[in-house]
Amino acid sequence: ASILVPGQLVVLESTTYPGTTRDLLAGQLEAGGLIAGRDFHLAFSPERIDPGRTDYTVKTTPKLVGGITPECTERAAALYETVCDRVVRLSGPEAAELSKLLENIFRSVNIALVNELAQLCDRLDVDVWEVVEAASTKPFGFMPFEPGPGMGGHCLPIDPFYLAFTARQNDFYPEFIELAGKINKSQPRFCVSRIERILNGEGKPVKGSKILILGVSYKAGIGDIRESPALKIIRLLGELGADLSYHDPHVPELDEFGLKHTESLEPALENADLAVIVTNHPEVSLDTVVGKSQL
């Protein structure tokens, strides 16, 4: 606000609840005396990044833009058109803010659905991977999502609750969105319960068992551990007295748990009572993991 000059463009890209740009940011920026939409341009254009992905980039992913006035939208679009192949103009920042939340909530809800199905399949003794693969043969009306240990990163576990916050301010209760968040947050505990049962089947308690965690980042191919379900799994197993170690070529150490990345994979697999694939990094051979692990 103190360094704004007339005609300047300000664009918010962080995922947030609808109304942030117009109701919160504009007022803070206007503290310097200039008026948004009259003296300077203000818009929202959500970041659309999938870390570790190479097939879609900032350049090739369509860019959404919504300004607080039509002139703001055009000014922001002109900037992004120098970088992005396609710019999509929206009616205002609220539509752009909500569009980004819909993208993330869509993934959150569908991941929760398949995670819940995984828990059911476990009780029914049915292979959830076979079920998902079979359903994926339908060429229309179905989009495959894969079950996992939970949901991590700085977006998907958090962003849906931004919308829930706004909804509650308007006397609307988004139970579907919040339920998906609860299911995904419960998935690490489901993984730990499976670990307990597998060890129990071999006559071993979790306490004192050597458990090797494979992958601690929140997704494959990157080193970001923010909100990673692996951290919750490690914490829960630690509380049960497990002797823990981990292998992750992207994460050299976990200060929170006093653990360091195990460099030599094969000896670690052979020495562990149980290996747990949490994050499927491309550098780790699953054939090696299965072949060298006791369990």
Side-chain angles (χ1 to χ4, degrees):
S2 64
I3 61 171
L4 272 177
V5 296
Q8 193 165 2
L9 169 66
V10 178
V11 183
L12 177 61
E13 288 201 339
S14 301
T15 307
T16 184
Y17 61 88
T20 302
T21 306
R22 190 185 303 274
D23 300 334
L24 180 65
L25 184 58
Q28 293 183 346
L29 292 173
E30 289 174 344
L34 300 180
I35 303 300
R38 186 191 74 185
D39 302 315
F40 68 93
H41 304 287
L42 179 61
F44 181 82
S45 181
E47 180 186 62
R48 282 172 147 180
I49 299 294
D50 190 3
R53 191 167 197 141
T54 57
D55 51 347
Y56 289 101
T57 65
V58 173
K59 182 179 188 298
T60 59
T61 304
K63 200 78 169 83
L64 304 180
V65 175
I68 63 168
T69 67
E71 293 76 15
C72 292
T73 300
E74 289 305 315
R75 179 65 183 86
L79 168 69
Y80 287 115
E81 282 174 340
T82 66
V83 178
C84 305
D85 292 341
R86 182 186 177 201
V87 173
V88 180
R89 294 162 172 81
L90 299 178
S91 59
E94 292 81 9
E97 290 160 340
L98 198 49
S99 296
K100 172 62 177 181
L101 288 176
L102 175 59
E103 293 171 19
N104 286 359
I105 290 167
F106 175 82
R107 284 191 57 77
S108 173
V109 167
N110 281 281
I111 290 170
L113 173 63
V114 77
N115 278 341
E116 190 169 57
L117 181 67
Q119 295 190 30
L120 175 61
C121 284
D122 182 63
R123 295 195 183 190
L124 297 176
D125 196 25
V126 175
D127 185 349
V128 66
W129 301 97
E130 181 183 8
V131 172
V132 172
E133 187 176 352
S136 299
T137 62
K138 185 179 180 182
F140 56 90
F142 181 80
M143 179 181 292
F145 285 79
E146 296 181 340
M151 201 164 58
H154 65 292
C155 294
L156 295 186
I158 301 166
D159 293 349
F161 295 103
Y162 292 154
L163 186 57
F165 162 75
T166 302
R168 289 179 181 278
Q169 287 187 323
N170 289 273
D171 296 323
F172 185 86
Y173 300 92
E175 296 175 8
F176 201 64
I177 295 170
E178 293 185 338
L179 178 60
K182 291 176 182 177
I183 292 171
N184 288 326
K185 284 185 176 181
S186 74
Q187 195 71 358
R189 290 189 179 273
F190 168 65
C191 293
V192 170
S193 72
R194 289 195 64 186
I195 290 168
E196 289 181 288
R197 280 187 280 124
I198 290 169
L199 286 171
N200 187 64
E202 298 294 318
K204 296 179 180 180
V206 174
K207 185 175 183 179
S209 290
K210 295 179 179 179
I211 299 177
L212 175 65
I213 303 295
L214 298 169
V216 296
S217 61
Y218 83 85
K219 67 175 293 188
I222 66 171
D224 194 339
I225 62 171
R226 286 178 292 181
E227 304 294 326
S228 173
L231 304 183
K232 189 170 185 178
I233 291 172
I234 289 172
R235 186 172 67 254
L236 291 170
L237 290 173
E239 291 171 356
L240 292 172
D243 182 358
L244 293 164
S245 59
Y246 82 93
H247 177 84
D248 190 318
H250 297 275
V251 183
E253 58 186 45
L254 290 175
D255 292 335
E256 178 185 350
F257 302 101
L259 297 175
K260 292 185 181 295
H261 159 66
T262 302
E263 293 284 353
S264 301
L265 178 59
E266 291 192 19
L269 290 168
E270 294 170 352
N271 187 50
D273 294 303
L274 176 73
V276 185
I277 303 167
V278 179
T279 308
N280 182 20
H281 286 308
E283 298 91 342
V284 178
S285 166
L286 297 185
D287 289 336
T288 299
V289 172
V290 173
K292 298 290 184 180
S293 299
Q294 294 187 43
L295 292 171

